[in-house]
Amino acid sequence: MRRTPHRLLRRPLAAAVAAAGLLGLLTAAPQAVPDPATAPVGASVAAGTTATVFYSTKTRDWSAYYLHYSPDGGSWTTAPGTRMEAACTDWVKLTVPLGDAGGLMATFTDGSGTWDNNAGKNYDLGTGNITVQDGVVAHSDPCADTGPEEPEEPEGPNSASVYYATSTVGWPTVNLHYRPHGGAWTTVPGIGMEAACAGWVKRTVDLGSATGLQAAFNNGNGVWDNNNGNDYTLATGLTTVKDRTVTASAKDPCAAEEPDTEAPTAPTAVKAAADGVAVVVTWEPATDDRGVTKYQIIRTGGTKGTVVADTTSTVFSDTGLEARTAYRYTVRAVDAAGNVSAESAPASATTGDRPTAPPTGTPLGTDPRKDPIYFVLTARFNDGDSANNRGGSQHEKSGNAANDDPMFRGDFKGLVQKLDYVKGLGFSAIWITPVVLNRSDYDYHGYHGYHGYDFYKVDPRLESAGASYQDLINAAHAKGMKIYQDVVHNHSSRWGAKGLFTPKAYGVRDAQWSWFYDEKNDAFAYDGLTVEPKSGKSYYNGDLWSTAEPSGNTCLNWGTPTGHTSPEGYRIYNCQWPSPTSGMFPKALYHNCWIGNWEGEDSRSCWLHDDLADFNTENAQVQNYLIGAYNKYIDMGVDGFRLDTAVHIPRTTWNRRFLPAIQERVTQRFGAGAAENFFVFGEVAAFVNDKWNRGSVNHSAQFFTWKERKEYSADDEKAALEMYDHEQQQGTAAQPVSDNAFLKGNAYHAPDRSRFSGMNIIDMRMHMNFGDANNAYHNGKDSDDATNDATYNVVYVDSHDYGPNKSSERYAGGTDAWAENMSLMWTFRGIPTLYYGSEIEFQKGKKIDCGPTCPLATTGRAYFGDHLAGEVTASDFGKVSSATGKVADTLAAPLARHLQRLNEIRRAVPALQMGQYSTEGISGSMAYKRRYTDAASGTDSFALVTVSGSATYTGIPNGTYKDAVTGDTKAVTGGTLAVPAPGKGNLRVYVLDLGGKNAAPGKIGAAGPYLK
């Protein structure tokens, strides 16, 4: 649609919005150039161009309103100016003759010393109809009549009442630009819409004999909602437009709602299961005509009598109960109006003995951005107890046996023994691979933890006497170090999930397969550690395999030979291996399809791999199982969760179920402060170099950092599909934006986290581009405005899955390039993260994973403990007081020393940890300024950073700057600082000396191989 062009404000919208944030009412005449209080009266201006200025009175309580102004190139009126006249409800106006002037400068006053002068900058206004409302300037006539402006339509029988939702666009001024069917468009920008109620504006227009209209909306400053270029087609009567969804013959969104007197239905299928002195209670969701807001759990039994607790989830973990005591639970549903359902049918459970495990821990609860992360595959890091080592059926075939290198080798005891090594490098958080009991052989890498079988049990191949998972958490906390647990919500192993569903039989065990499948043994309970006694050789298969089709089998074509053979030449039978389409897994609990399109909807509702049975995460029973399991680890005191395969679960399910459940549990156990800093970061695997993953918002990492923007069906499965379709139609241009990571000039501002989903993200875009640090930097910051708060992004070069550019090898760019990557990660926004061994370029260029076709010792997941032999003691983060043996050589490696100093510098400069950043006024390829301020603690930290290359900073605060790398001091008097190139991998961090507790630290640590 073509529109008549109109003159925009000469000051851009961003400036107007900034002015709104600075709006202040003064008690003296405004200070301007020239000073309007003392400027002489100008000569009269010849008639010609005019400006009709509308001023909002809604947030003012003035007895009179004056416009004090100066036409462009002219003189100011005598203070207080010209009195404005009433225009319509909440508005006054004044038409100003401008002659040949193209606009005017203006301020407003009550005539008694109170001024609105746009925070000292005055208002820069154009011509035509102009509104000034709470500091925001727009083109509009808020009092226009409802008829179209050109040409006028004759009066007729039809009209349209249009309601437009402002809650998602955030415009203080909204114009309706329209044309009746068969008529002409109004003059741009259209007619002003009136406030209707919170979140809505409205306008009723006369259509004459037309039966509808085409319409678009704008904010008066050139920002349009024209339905992605298609315009809106609206009918007569009352129509609402919200999030680009048109509802004809709609209910008045501002009408008083009928009181809600209908109570929800009673929850059903309540179950209670005891685990020691804890009970997990689950139930099916209740229904309500307007939605259930919470549940009340009523417990009786024990010495405390009746206890009532609230939760928003459909699972409740009741802990700290009396041993060997019967408890009875009922559940009630509550809606927003406070209506309470009848009690559910009861469920009972009897607790066992109080465990002898060490007392549960407490999360450290500090800002996660302060803590650089060291990522370990626990089973491959350091072996503290050889008794729990296990190799699997492929141990010899893979070559691991020849290296005496079982897949399960490292353990918690080994990690506890080397906590000082990690601390000595300077890391204060450790990300460990999943701890739940896994069930997968070496060919499917059960050792790395992503094939969960019993989500309520810690894998015994990781624990030892005196070195349980709880012991690890407690030991790390005692050293001031956090534990981030990798968790999987998307899938179980091919063996199902114990306590939810496990298939009873997979397939044929005949003579040719007896070497691989144990003989059926119903008495065998898999624990990962114990050998099945009947066959005496395996840890995996004894409860599943059969020579005859078992009763109750659901697998299609069980035992029928296929056309395929194994690598050994053995015939493969149907149902011998898990498949989503085989009928093995119930549709209610598991998805029954393969992914066909990795950027399609099916990527969130189908299997990734035949060894990863895909949970139906939209099912309440599955949700209860997973929430209850991960509550257990929250109770142990972990400091955060890394969410595996997050992109393969709908955002609606994360935002409705799993993320609120995490927050609720942490708050319940440890308080709101701990919940705020419980760090949750998701793996949204987008292996592309563009901002939006092949144009699909649903598959892009930053998408998962936001709350939903509209209401969807109460049913989670329907909601997932509705959300997917809605957001795909919205497209990339209509996604929310944020300035939470960015400075405003040189100033830090309080971030707006009100729309934060609860999930932070791994910075996949930087990861994919870390073949070159400069490329990673420019790609990474390109997505920051679409991320809720990119200062929380987890940034790494390579991992247990991929190197940069989806390489299947560990990073091999060279020591200098590694040093440069690290210098960038440790000073740019986000949380620097290192995959174990990268501090010595461990296994550089080696294939990260090759399954059972090669020994682990030749891969990127090789055992690291040989490099840690000896003793090490850390006196502080990044400082080692003593080290002997091989570990001393490891700590002496160039990159290890580089890391120690980087961690020292980052820890001493708050701006590098939590600061927002800007590149405004800066030249240099990897150069930026960062600032963090906190009024509560009195912190103000401002730093100028350049990595490898030279940089010039203009428009910065004057003062003394000290380089944290060299100690060099520079005095800035004209707002400019030039920094020579420090060299590849080196950097400069000039910190503004603000005195007192905000004094610049000067040189931090000793010169090393790169920082010098």
Side-chain angles (χ1 to χ4, degrees):
M1 185 192 85
R2 303 185 71 172
R3 292 192 177 86
T4 305
H6 66 287
R7 196 176 79 84
L8 296 178
L9 288 179
R10 288 159 294 161
R11 183 177 56 183
L13 175 62
V17 174
L22 296 170
L23 179 64
L25 299 181
L26 308 182
T27 56
Q31 299 302 307
V33 182
D35 184 345
T38 59
V41 180
S44 62
V45 181
T49 304
T50 63
T52 300
V53 181
F54 292 84
Y55 187 72
S56 174
T57 64
K58 191 168 186 178
T59 56
R60 297 279 182 268
D61 189 22
W62 296 352
S63 59
Y65 295 81
Y66 292 84
L67 174 63
H68 182 45
Y69 68 94
S70 165
D72 290 352
S75 300
W76 285 89
T77 56
T78 301
T82 305
R83 186 160 183 163
M84 304 181 77
E85 61 188 38
C88 56
T89 303
D90 295 331
W91 291 94
V92 293
K93 72 175 182 178
L94 182 68
T95 298
V96 177
L98 297 177
D100 295 331
L104 67 155
M105 301 294 290
T107 63
F108 303 88
T109 176
D110 65 351
S112 301
T114 300
W115 290 85
D116 170 9
N117 68 350
N118 194 21
K121 293 183 290 186
N122 299 331
Y123 289 97
D124 185 2
L125 308 180
T127 60
N129 294 323
I130 304 165
T131 60
V132 180
Q133 182 175 20
D134 294 332
V136 178
V137 178
H139 283 267
S140 184
D141 179 354
C143 304
D145 59 25
T146 59
E149 296 177 15
E150 52 176 56
E152 289 191 7
E153 291 286 334
E155 291 187 6
N158 295 329
S159 66
S161 294
V162 181
Y163 284 76
Y164 185 73
T166 59
S167 55
T168 55
V169 295
W171 300 343
T173 298
V174 182
N175 296 311
L176 171 63
H177 181 48
Y178 73 96
R179 71 177 181 89
H181 291 343
W185 286 94
T186 54
T187 301
V188 173
I191 60 173
M193 302 188 75
E194 308 162 349
C197 57
W200 292 91
V201 292
K202 69 176 181 180
R203 197 76 204 209
T204 299
V205 296
D206 180 11
L207 298 179
S209 60
T211 58
L213 66 154
Q214 279 183 277
F217 305 88
N218 66 83
N219 71 345
N221 283 332
V223 179
W224 288 83
D225 171 8
N226 63 357
N227 195 22
N228 284 331
N230 299 316
D231 297 325
Y232 291 97
T233 299
L234 310 179
T236 57
L238 194 153
T239 303
T240 61
V241 181
K242 182 177 183 181
D243 295 329
R244 296 186 182 165
T245 299
V246 174
T247 305
S249 301
K251 178 182 177 183
D252 184 343
C254 299
E257 195 168 2
E258 291 292 327
D260 182 7
T261 58
E262 183 177 337
T265 62
T268 59
V270 179
K271 298 177 182 178
D275 179 14
V277 290
V279 173
V280 176
V281 186
T282 62
W283 57 93
E284 292 294 317
T287 59
D288 184 71
D289 60 333
R290 300 187 188 180
V292 173
T293 57
K294 68 177 181 178
Y295 294 92
Q296 295 176 342
I297 300 90
I298 303 96
R299 182 191 78 202
T300 56
T303 59
K304 294 184 178 180
T306 301
V307 177
V308 179
D310 290 344
T311 181
T312 58
S313 174
T314 54
V315 61
F316 178 74
S317 296
D318 201 9
T319 59
L321 301 173
E322 298 165 48
R324 299 188 181 187
T325 303
Y327 290 93
R328 177 183 182 273
Y329 296 87
T330 56
V331 185
R332 297 185 299 214
V334 184
D335 65 17
N339 298 309
V340 181
S341 76
E343 286 191 26
S344 68
S348 299
T350 300
T351 56
D353 293 324
R354 188 170 298 280
T356 57
T360 57
T362 300
L364 296 183
T366 54
D367 192 313
R369 295 172 295 179
K370 294 181 178 181
D371 302 301
I373 302 170
Y374 191 76
F375 172 36
V376 301
L377 268 67
T378 311
R380 307 302 301 154
F381 185 64
N382 187 52
D383 189 7
D385 181 4
S386 60
N388 58 14
N389 293 357
R390 292 293 183 271
S393 67
Q394 311 291 304
H395 187 51
E396 293 186 7
K397 179 181 178 182
S398 65
N400 286 341
N403 293 300
D404 192 21
D405 186 25
M407 60 172 182
F408 271 96
R409 187 173 178 184
D411 46 37
F412 294 145
K413 186 174 184 179
L415 185 50
V416 169
Q417 291 171 348
K418 301 304 176 185
L419 286 175
D420 269 30
Y421 169 76
V422 179
K423 184 172 183 175
L425 286 174
F427 293 92
S428 48
I430 302 177
W431 158 15
I432 60 173
T433 40
V435 305
V436 304
L437 175 61
N438 264 232
R439 192 162 189 178
S440 183
D441 212 340
Y442 172 56
D443 50 340
Y444 284 100
H445 343 297
Y447 63 91
H448 62 28
Y450 300 94
H451 298 246
Y453 172 66
D454 189 344
F455 286 71
Y456 286 77
K457 180 180 177 63
V458 175
D459 200 307
R461 291 165 292 191
L462 300 176
E463 293 193 302
S464 310
S468 66
Y469 185 34
Q470 187 69 69
D471 289 321
L472 168 65
I473 295 168
N474 294 351
H477 286 175
K479 293 182 180 294
M481 302 168 73
K482 296 179 178 179
I483 294 293
Y484 296 149
Q485 179 180 330
D486 213 323
V487 298
V488 185
H489 290 74
N490 178 66
H491 57 263
S492 70
S493 72
R494 61 187 167 103
W495 312 84
K498 186 177 181 182
L500 180 70
F501 170 80
T502 56
K504 298 303 179 187
Y506 274 144
V508 173
R509 178 187 185 273
D510 58 12
Q512 61 181 337
W513 286 105
S514 60
W515 69 277
F516 188 67
Y517 302 141
D518 292 337
E519 187 176 351
K520 187 171 177 61
N521 182 353
D522 290 325
F524 174 68
Y526 171 80
D527 65 4
L529 203 60
T530 305
V531 174
E532 190 280 313
K534 198 168 185 178
S535 298
K537 60 179 173 23
S538 175
Y539 312 94
Y540 297 98
N541 308 317
D543 56 343
L544 293 176
W545 302 98
S546 175
T547 55
E549 183 173 2
S551 60
N553 168 59
T554 60
C555 187
L556 304 173
N557 302 314
W558 189 95
T560 304
T562 70
H564 306 286
T565 59
S566 71
E568 299 82 6
Y570 302 143
R571 179 61 56 197
I572 296 175
Y573 302 93
N574 279 317
C575 305
Q576 206 159 13
W577 203 253
S579 165
T581 57
S582 65
M584 292 181 184
F585 294 85
K587 290 183 179 180
L589 304 179
Y590 284 87
H591 292 130
N592 284 190
C593 53
W594 293 107
I595 291 179
N597 176 7
W598 289 86
E599 270 75 43
E601 193 284 326
D602 57 341
S603 72
R604 304 174 310 121
S605 57
C606 296
W607 286 35
L608 301 169
H609 190 278
D610 60 4
D611 206 47
L612 304 175
D614 199 82
F615 284 131
N616 178 7
T617 50
E618 287 64 69
N619 175 277
Q621 189 177 349
V622 173
Q623 294 166 359
N624 290 341
Y625 176 83
L626 293 169
I627 292 170
Y630 292 129
N631 279 351
K632 170 179 178 175
Y633 304 107
I634 290 172
D635 292 350
M636 294 173 75
V638 297
D639 300 277
F641 287 154
R642 182 264 189 181
L643 306 177
D644 181 70
T645 50
V647 71
H648 299 293
I649 294 176
R651 188 176 74 173
T652 46
T653 306
W654 283 119
N655 290 0
R656 285 182 173 188
R657 309 302 174 199
F658 297 135
L659 296 172
I662 292 170
Q663 281 290 300
E664 182 176 87
R665 189 61 177 180
V666 180
T667 302
Q668 203 175 67
R669 291 303 307 274
F670 306 112
E676 181 181 358
N677 288 316
F678 188 90
F679 190 44
V680 177
F681 57 105
E683 178 206 25
V684 183
F687 300 117
V688 294
N689 290 332
D690 50 355
K691 182 172 183 175
W692 298 99
N693 188 1
R694 296 186 176 91
S696 173
V697 296
N698 283 282
H699 298 87
S700 301
Q702 61 270 33
F703 179 75
F704 285 80
T705 66
W706 298 94
K707 288 180 179 179
E708 307 308 312
R709 296 187 291 160
K710 68 186 298 288
E711 291 294 324
Y712 299 105
S713 297
D715 178 84
D716 286 354
E717 191 168 349
K718 291 179 181 177
L721 293 171
E722 291 170 359
M723 183 273 296
Y724 185 89
D725 290 340
H726 174 75
E727 294 293 358
Q728 290 297 91
Q729 291 172 7
Q730 293 289 293
T732 59
Q735 295 304 309
V737 294
S738 169
D739 63 1
N740 284 341
F742 306 119
L743 295 173
K744 291 185 176 179
N746 295 311
Y748 178 87
H749 64 96
D752 177 7
R753 304 272 282 174
S754 62
R755 294 181 291 165
F756 176 51
S757 67
M759 184 193 299
N760 299 290
I761 51 172
I762 293 170
D763 199 319
M764 297 300 294
R765 194 163 180 205
M766 289 194 74
H767 164 50
M768 283 291 98
N769 286 280
F770 255 122
D772 173 73
N774 191 55
N775 200 36
Y777 166 66
H778 286 285
N779 271 275
K781 66 190 183 73
D782 182 49
S783 299
D784 287 353
D785 64 341
T787 306
N788 184 270
D789 192 343
T791 65
Y792 288 84
N793 284 11
V794 169
V795 183
Y796 58 63
V797 173
D798 62 358
S799 72
H800 59 319
D801 289 323
Y802 293 105
N805 299 313
K806 208 177 180 182
S807 165
S808 59
E809 290 81 36
R810 287 196 72 160
Y811 182 70
T815 310
D816 289 354
W818 248 126
E820 186 176 55
N821 288 343
M822 292 174 178
S823 292
L824 174 63
M825 288 193 292
W826 262 256
T827 56
F828 188 44
R829 60 97 185 110
I831 302 171
T833 301
L834 197 77
Y835 183 39
Y836 82 100
S838 294
E839 62 271 28
I840 59 170
E841 297 178 82
F842 181 59
Q843 300 297 90
K844 62 181 178 180
K846 298 292 179 66
K847 197 170 185 65
I848 292 172
D849 171 48
C850 55
T853 63
C854 66
L856 276 167
T858 65
T859 73
R861 297 173 180 170
Y863 176 66
F864 192 60
D866 295 336
H867 297 276
L868 302 175
E871 299 297 325
V872 58
T873 301
S875 57
D876 202 347
F877 292 104
K879 296 181 180 179
V880 174
S881 57
S882 66
T884 62
K886 185 64 178 176
V887 71
D889 298 333
T890 301
L891 286 165
L895 290 177
R897 293 172 59 198
H898 187 51
L899 279 168
Q900 287 177 310
R901 192 158 184 224
L902 283 171
N903 274 316
E904 281 189 88
I905 292 171
R906 189 178 190 273
R907 195 169 294 278
V909 183
L912 301 184
Q913 302 167 37
M914 300 166 289
Q916 295 161 341
Y917 76 94
S918 173
T919 58
E920 179 184 353
I922 302 173
S923 67
S925 60
M926 285 186 287
Y928 35 90
K929 54 188 174 183
R930 298 192 65 188
R931 190 169 206 152
Y932 175 75
T933 58
D934 177 50
S937 63
T939 300
D940 187 0
S941 175
F942 184 73
L944 308 174
V945 180
T946 183
V947 179
S948 295
S950 62
T952 299
Y953 306 84
T954 61
I956 60 173
N958 291 331
T960 300
Y961 290 78
K962 296 180 181 179
D963 179 23
V965 178
T966 64
D968 178 51
T969 298
K970 292 187 182 298
V972 174
T973 57
T976 299
L977 175 63
V979 180
K984 182 85 168 181
N986 201 349
L987 77 153
R988 295 291 180 257
V989 182
Y990 280 90
V991 181
L992 178 60
D993 191 339
L994 294 169
K997 67 176 295 182
N998 295 312
K1003 183 178 180 179
I1004 300 170
Y1010 289 99
L1011 299 181
K1012 55 188 177 181

